[in-house]
Amino acid sequence: LRDLIPAYEQLRMRRLPEEQAIVAGRLATVYSGAREFEQAAELIDETIAYFTATRANARLPTAYDRLGRLQAAQGRWSDALDAFEKMRGEAERVGDTAALAYARVRLCGVEIEEGAWAAAARNCAAARAAMARAPEPDREEQAILAAYQARIDLAAGDVEK
């Protein structure tokens, strides 16, 4: 945090907006982890606005992922779903198979929190399929997906899986 805030300020003063937007996203993650949600939201909004304005579409899935995680951390499930749907849409638009898989994992998790078991199962299945197509799927994401699937199976009364 000591390095990110001065870096962000320096980039803003030097008028390096692309680098500033990237650092803003990373700083938002730190603020969100510290439960400084308002500050995190402002930084994420800044990154989304910049990447949208400059048509840096490949960066938008990550920005929407951060937004969705921020909303989920606050229990704002509907807003989190909206952000993760945007993440999914942007990942699909730019052909980012890994981000598409991770968006589906996020959607599955939020739907589990909402008790929308059928929707969660569909998104977990879509995440598995997308991960199978991804060049090197993240192991942590695979583990999260497996845990979500276990929760779905338990909710369905299938304790044998």
Side-chain angles (χ1 to χ4, degrees):
L1 187 59
R2 265 184 285 186
D3 294 339
L4 284 174
I5 293 172
Y8 175 78
E9 293 299 326
Q10 284 293 318
L11 292 167
R12 190 170 63 182
M13 287 176 15
R14 292 181 182 180
R15 298 175 198 253
L16 298 168
E18 182 175 4
E19 291 83 358
Q20 178 185 333
I22 292 167
V23 171
R26 291 184 178 137
L27 190 54
T29 301
V30 173
Y31 276 117
S32 181
R35 304 192 61 76
E36 295 288 338
F37 298 129
E38 188 175 322
Q39 184 67 36
E42 289 175 16
L43 291 164
I44 292 168
D45 289 346
E46 177 185 325
T47 64
I48 291 171
Y50 178 79
F51 295 146
T52 300
T54 60
R55 292 184 172 81
N57 298 330
R59 295 194 180 273
L60 284 169
T62 300
Y64 283 118
D65 185 26
R66 286 185 173 126
L67 179 60
R69 288 174 183 245
L70 173 69
Q71 302 298 357
Q74 297 173 81
R76 297 172 58 183
W77 306 121
S78 178
D79 293 334
L81 280 174
D82 289 344
F84 293 140
E85 274 296 337
K86 289 177 182 173
M87 177 189 179
R88 184 201 56 74
E90 292 298 331
E92 202 167 71
R93 184 162 67 125
V94 299
D96 186 337
T97 308
L100 178 60
Y102 307 151
R104 293 291 192 169
V105 170
R106 308 284 185 277
L107 288 163
C108 177
V110 171
E111 288 160 341
I112 287 171
E113 292 300 326
E114 289 192 312
W117 299 105
R122 283 190 300 275
N123 272 307
C124 276
R128 260 190 315 284
M131 277 191 199
R133 293 188 310 272
E136 291 184 36
D138 185 277
R139 289 180 191 209
E140 184 177 335
E141 294 294 337
Q142 290 174 318
I144 292 167
L145 179 59
Y148 287 163
Q149 188 60 58
R151 288 182 66 188
I152 292 167
D153 293 343
L154 284 172
D158 190 353
V159 294
E160 296 300 316
K161 285 187 178 179

